[in-house]
């Protein structure tokens, strides 16, 4: 008799379905020229949609150790291939947006210099991810011509972009539905992963005042699945996960690996992250108290 599937595994399988659905919708969105306008605000919303996708990928990745050992490797490889396909899409679409924005002749808005500088840093993070997982998961290399084209466009745009210390975020991106926008055969899950694709309305846990951290031989490990709470805190603070990583002194890739429990977190970064969580939890409680008229 087969053993019952653990609840965390069932939930993670649903999250895999969400990741697959998001990837299909992102691919379909970027194949429609009308969506790639010459407005900077539209490019920023696209980046936020991409980051929303990565949050779910990181969440699934952090829960893979809950699966049987025989299923962990194929699921991790499957997830990495989806992530990498969207990473290539992210670069190519960035190139198109930047060309269209420049061709439009519109002035870049205040704060765009900081935003574009962060996208330039993203190129190093992509290279770091490929160096670490490219060979292990048989990921195809990204065209150097594409990388250099994006780098030059970003550098040229940064030169013409105004500076602003506090960059106000764009309105929330349109919520991705769980309805496949491309044939499911393009992104098939491993045999063990056959799931419902309807988790965008799953409720997330309340914002904790601190993360659970375990110290082992002087190294600090954040509890698996902390990416959800941290992403909520980022949303409350109106900053991206990329910006938070920059604030605490690590790369986005390093931060997501730490939040999934795979890598240890340096003490200074851990202390800054805990302070950030405490501040956002306090502000959230104050806002809720004001809403209730307490």
């Amino acid at each position: 008799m087969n053993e019952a599937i653990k609840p965390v595994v069932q939930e993670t399988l649903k999250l895999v379905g969400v990741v697959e659905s998001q990837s299909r919708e992102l691919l379909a969105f970027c194949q429609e020229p009308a969506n790639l306008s010459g407005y900077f605000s539209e490019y920023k919303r696209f980046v936020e949609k991409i980051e929303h996708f990565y949050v779910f990928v990181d969440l699934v990745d952090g829960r893979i150790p809950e699966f049987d050992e025989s299923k962990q490797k194929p699921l991790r490889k499957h997830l990495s291939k989806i992530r990498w396909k969207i990473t290539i899409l992210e670069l190519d679409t960035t190139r198109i947006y930047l060309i269209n924005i420049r061709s439009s002749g519109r002035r870049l808005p205040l704060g765009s210099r900081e935003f574009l500088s962060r996208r330039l840093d993203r190129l190093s993070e992509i290279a770091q991810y490929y160096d670490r997982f490219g060979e292990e998961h048989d990921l195809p290399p990204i065209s150097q011509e594409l990388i250099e084209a994006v780098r030059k466009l970003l550098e040229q745009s940064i030169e013409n972009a105004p500076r602003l210390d506090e960059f106000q975020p764009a309105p929330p991106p349109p919520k991705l539905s769980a309805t496949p926008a491309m044939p499911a055969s393009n992104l098939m899950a491993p045999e063990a992963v056959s799931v419902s694709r309807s988790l965008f309305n799953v409720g997330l846990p309340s914002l904790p005042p601190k993360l659970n951290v375990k110290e082992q031989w002087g190294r600090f490990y954040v509890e698996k699945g902390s990416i959800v709470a941290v992403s909520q805190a980022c949303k409350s603070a109106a900053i991206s996960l990329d910006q938070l990583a920059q604030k605490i002194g690590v790369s986005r890739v390093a931060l997501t690996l730490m939040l999934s429990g795979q890598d240890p977190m340096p003490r200074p970064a851990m202390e800054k992250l805990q302070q950030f969580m405490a501040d956002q939890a306090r502000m959230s409680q104050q806002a809720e108290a004001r809403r209730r008229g307490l």
Side-chain angles (χ1 to χ4, degrees):
M1 181 180 296
N2 295 331
E3 295 183 4
I5 300 178
K6 294 187 293 186
V8 67
V9 171
Q10 291 180 323
E11 183 180 349
T12 303
L13 291 176
K14 292 179 181 179
L15 286 170
V16 172
V18 172
V19 168
E20 291 177 335
S21 294
Q22 285 182 305
S23 65
R24 283 190 288 269
E25 291 189 32
L26 284 166
L27 287 166
F29 176 86
C30 295
Q31 288 176 348
E32 181 56 56
N35 294 331
L36 311 180
S37 74
Y39 288 93
F40 187 84
S41 59
E42 294 300 320
Y43 169 52
K44 187 170 187 297
R45 278 194 283 270
F46 166 74
V47 170
E48 290 172 342
K49 289 175 69 172
I50 289 287
E51 290 183 345
H52 187 213
F53 163 81
Y54 286 132
V55 166
F56 278 89
V57 174
D58 293 334
L59 177 57
V60 173
D61 193 57
R63 294 182 176 184
I64 289 179
E66 300 288 346
F67 287 74
D68 293 339
E69 289 188 9
S70 62
K71 295 181 174 64
Q72 290 183 21
K73 186 174 181 179
L75 180 54
R76 187 169 280 117
K77 183 174 182 178
H78 174 65
L79 199 66
S80 292
K81 285 186 176 295
I82 296 176
R83 180 201 291 265
W84 196 240
K85 180 175 288 190
I86 297 304
T87 296
I88 296 174
L89 181 75
E90 173 189 350
L91 287 173
D92 192 44
T93 306
T94 290
R95 178 182 62 83
I96 295 171
Y97 266 117
L98 293 177
I99 290 174
N100 290 343
I101 290 170
R102 191 161 76 172
S103 299
S104 73
R106 298 184 185 89
R107 295 185 62 183
L108 294 173
L110 291 176
S112 54
R113 177 185 291 260
E114 288 78 4
F115 181 82
L116 292 169
S117 296
R118 187 68 197 98
R119 304 323 299 166
L120 189 60
D121 292 340
R122 174 82 178 117
L123 298 182
S124 298
E125 294 175 359
I126 291 172
Q128 179 183 348
Y129 184 86
Y130 183 78
D131 289 343
R132 179 160 182 171
F133 300 108
E135 183 176 353
E136 179 182 354
H137 299 308
D138 300 320
L139 303 177
I142 297 178
S143 163
Q144 284 300 311
E145 289 79 7
L146 173 59
I147 293 175
E148 288 308 310
V150 172
R151 187 188 308 279
K152 288 180 181 179
L153 285 167
L154 284 169
E155 290 173 346
Q156 292 169 359
S157 298
I158 289 170
E159 288 180 2
N160 299 321
R163 188 187 300 272
L164 184 68
D165 291 336
E166 295 296 331
F167 184 29
Q168 296 299 319
K175 181 179 288 188
L176 291 166
S177 71
T179 304
M182 295 182 66
S185 58
N186 290 347
L187 284 171
M188 291 298 291
E191 183 177 356
V193 182
S194 176
V195 297
S196 165
R197 312 180 188 283
S198 58
L199 204 67
F200 276 112
N201 294 322
V202 171
L204 295 175
S206 59
L207 187 62
K210 63 182 296 186
L211 300 175
N212 292 328
V213 178
K214 183 183 299 183
E215 183 177 359
Q216 295 180 347
W217 302 291
R219 309 177 82 185
F220 299 92
Y221 289 87
V222 179
E223 183 180 39
K224 291 183 297 183
S226 297
I227 185 73
V228 176
V230 173
S231 297
Q232 283 182 270
C234 286
K235 182 177 181 180
S236 177
I239 65 173
S240 68
L241 200 63
D242 286 349
Q243 291 171 313
L244 175 61
Q246 193 172 31
K247 284 178 179 292
I248 67 176
V250 299
S251 70
R252 183 190 182 282
V253 172
L255 179 58
T256 53
L257 288 171
M258 293 169 188
L259 294 176
S260 66
Q262 297 184 51
D263 283 357
M265 179 171 286
R267 182 186 290 272
M270 183 269 294
E271 292 175 346
K272 290 178 182 178
L273 181 60
Q274 293 287 39
Q275 185 61 55
F276 171 75
M277 295 299 295
D279 291 344
Q280 295 311 311
R282 184 180 65 256
M283 293 174 65
S284 178
Q285 291 172 355
Q286 291 173 348
E288 180 64 17
R290 287 195 296 271
R291 187 183 69 82
R292 295 182 177 182
L294 300 178

